[in-house]
Amino acid sequence: MHINILLCDTFPGRLPDFIPNYESLFFDLFESIGVEATYRIYQTWQGELPSTVNPDELYLVPGSLDSAYDDKPWIVSLLHWIEKAYCRGAKMMGVCFGHQVIARALGGEVRKYDGGFGAGVRQSRVIDNEMKRFFPDERMRLLYSHHDQVMALPDGATRCATSDFCLNESYRIGRQVVTFQGHPEFTVAYSRHLLTNCSDDLDEVVRLKALRSLDEMLPMGPAAARFALDLLNEYR
């Protein structure tokens, strides 16, 4: 399969030595579930976007330190691209910022969450029957790092998972779009690095609770990836 990664940030100064670049986290994630893929990386944060859409390929919109409700020129261009690509049948997967910007592009609402910052491992309730096949106990645990949330889904979207902290933990639109507020691609080691070295502005109570969660709960990123690729008919 071919995966197009629409890179929305390179996270300068936030990647440890054991992670060569952000996109490598996705390479490792998909390899861990037995997917043989080729990749093309678009520097979307610099305005680079696919000029054509191939319904047989996957378009992945990952995380960013920017907010999906901002109107920076590259974000506006991405919003327009998502809307057009969706109408042309593009299969899309969104993660964190990608989850949010796809929602905004297709008519949903995104804003900063008044309830605080989400970090560490969080468990959500799986409520979509398609997703339940990959989470038999109807619980999904992912790694998180976000303050913004999708507050209203686009028309036609199905909520897949929810929690008390985040109403829309995951959603899908038919078998064409699937997104996660969490990071299936994150590793515990990377999350620990972020919480230890890149969280000076994070409330100490939140930071310590997030660090404890890394020891207490096992994230399920590979299961989320399997669900996404199966739903999009790309798990082969």
Side-chain angles (χ1 to χ4, degrees), residues 8 61-70 74-75 78-79 82 93-113 116-118 122 144-154 165-166 168-171 173 177-183:
C8 298
V61 187
S64 175
L65 293 178
D66 283 322
S67 293
Y69 46 76
D70 285 345
W74 76 266
I75 294 178
L78 176 58
L79 290 167
I82 291 169
M93 177 179 173
V95 169
C96 198
F97 171 87
H99 160 88
Q100 298 161 6
V101 78
I102 291 173
R104 180 187 174 191
L106 301 182
E109 179 187 357
V110 181
R111 66 172 184 264
K112 188 173 182 178
Y113 179 53
F117 193 87
R122 185 166 72 239
Y144 291 82
S145 182
H146 71 109
H147 209 151
D148 301 337
Q149 293 192 22
V150 174
M151 308 307 294
L153 294 176
F165 185 84
C166 179
N168 298 301
E169 294 277 9
S170 173
Y171 67 86
I173 304 177
V177 175
V178 61
T179 76
F180 305 92
Q181 178 56 70
H183 286 271

Side-chain angles (χ1 to χ4, degrees), residues 89-166:
K91 296 176 183 178
M92 288 182 276
M93 177 179 173
V95 169
C96 198
F97 171 87
H99 160 88
Q100 298 161 6
V101 78
I102 291 173
R104 180 187 174 191
L106 301 182
E109 179 187 357
V110 181
R111 66 172 184 264
K112 188 173 182 178
Y113 179 53
D114 294 336
F117 193 87
V121 183
R122 185 166 72 239
Q123 179 170 272
S124 58
R125 300 181 298 279
V126 175
I127 57 176
D128 175 59
N129 287 334
E130 289 286 345
M131 183 181 262
K132 286 178 182 179
R133 295 190 295 115
F134 295 85
F135 299 89
D137 64 352
E138 300 183 9
R139 295 292 183 270
M140 177 176 68
R141 294 180 298 277
L142 293 179
L143 291 156
Y144 291 82
S145 182
H146 71 109
H147 209 151
D148 301 337
Q149 293 192 22
V150 174
M151 308 307 294
L153 294 176
D155 289 344
T158 298
R159 183 178 297 117
C160 296
T162 187
S163 72
D164 293 339
F165 185 84
C166 179

